[in-house]
């Protein structure tokens, strides 16, 4: 079984992005894979802001990524770019922190105008960090993630299928 890390760059607990990632995690489990999660928002804010490479929490998160075969890197898109909290964490990865990793970018945004943010904003950073292979990824409109009265969310069919295709590609690449 491959080692997979899901890295959530959402600053909000219970976000639509986390619902998308929970769905991706279920798809991975159905394919016989297991993932560990890193919620960047749960890392000490001072460590992120003051770029504390020696912080125990940062060191542990970096070790999880170092041991991973694949990393699902997810972010909400704000002002046509990935979240600041994700950027703060990526700055704390070693220069080749994604070397030889298979990376699946996942993004959620309010408008289709943000569709290319994965390609022009996130992928160059992932490549600079040494990612072996960055998959096409999945962009999900946040309107396709419906909040329910009980606080949970559900993906509309279009979003679920897009995510299923992307996670399926990740699993196939890991097997190859």
């Amino acid at each position: 079984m491959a080692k997979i890390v899901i890295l959530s760059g959402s600053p909000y607990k219970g976000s639509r992005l986390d619902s998308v990632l929970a769905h991706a995690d279920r798809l991975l489990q159905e394919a016989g894979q297991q993932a560990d999660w890193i919620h960047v928002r749960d890392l000490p804010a001072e460590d992120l802001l003051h770029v504390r490479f020696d912080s125990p929490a940062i060191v542990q998160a970096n070790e999880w990524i170092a041991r991973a075969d694949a990393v699902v890197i997810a972010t909400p898109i704000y002002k046509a770019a990935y979240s600041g909290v994700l950027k703060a964490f990526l700055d704390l990865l070693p220069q080749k922190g994604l070397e030889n990793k298979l990376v699946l970018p996942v993004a959620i945004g309010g408008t289709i105008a943000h569709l290319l943010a994965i390609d022009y904003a996130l992928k160059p950073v992932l490549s600079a960090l040494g990612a072996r292979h960055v998959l096409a990824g999945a962009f999900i409109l946040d309107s396709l993630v419906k909040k329910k009265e009980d606080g949970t969310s559900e993906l509309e069919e279009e979003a679920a299928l897009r995510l299923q295709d992307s996670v399926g590609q990740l699993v196939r690449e890991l097997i190859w």
Side-chain angles (χ1 to χ4, degrees), residues 103-106 115 118-119 123 133-139 166 169:
V103 178
L104 173 63
V106 175
L115 175 67
I118 290 174
D119 290 328
K123 282 186 178 180
H133 185 55
V134 180
L135 300 174
F139 177 83
S166 293
Q169 182 183 15

Side-chain angles (χ1 to χ4, degrees), residues 12-161:
Y12 303 109
K13 186 174 185 170
S15 67
R16 284 182 168 88
L17 178 63
D18 284 348
S19 296
V20 169
L21 291 175
H23 189 82
D25 195 19
R26 283 190 299 276
L27 292 169
L28 287 168
Q29 289 173 25
E30 289 170 8
Q33 301 295 326
Q34 182 178 349
D36 292 315
W37 283 63
I38 299 171
H39 292 276
V40 178
R41 68 172 171 267
D42 293 337
L43 296 172
E46 282 203 12
D47 295 345
L48 292 168
L49 290 173
H50 294 288
V51 195
R52 292 186 179 138
F53 289 94
D54 60 348
S55 156
I58 300 299
V59 169
Q60 180 183 20
N62 286 347
E63 286 174 358
W64 283 13
I65 289 176
R67 288 192 304 264
D69 300 304
V71 183
V72 177
I73 297 182
T75 182
I77 302 297
Y78 300 123
K79 306 217 186 306
Y82 50 92
S83 69
V85 71
L86 179 62
K87 173 67 168 133
F89 178 72
L90 293 176
D91 285 346
L92 286 163
L93 282 176
Q95 181 62 39
K96 293 296 180 183
L98 296 176
E99 189 170 39
N100 298 318
K101 308 290 180 216
L102 182 60
V103 178
L104 173 63
V106 175
I108 188 168
T111 173
I112 198 72
H114 295 304
L115 175 67
L116 293 177
I118 290 174
D119 290 328
Y120 71 77
L122 189 56
K123 282 186 178 180
V125 174
L126 302 176
S127 293
L129 288 168
R132 171 175 58 92
H133 185 55
V134 180
L135 300 174
F139 177 83
I140 308 289
L141 283 171
D142 64 8
S143 62
L144 297 177
V145 183
K146 300 296 182 188
K147 290 279 190 175
K148 297 182 347 186
E149 287 183 20
D150 64 1
T152 62
S153 298
E154 122 183 320
L155 276 65
E156 289 193 11
E157 184 178 8
E158 177 185 341
L161 289 173

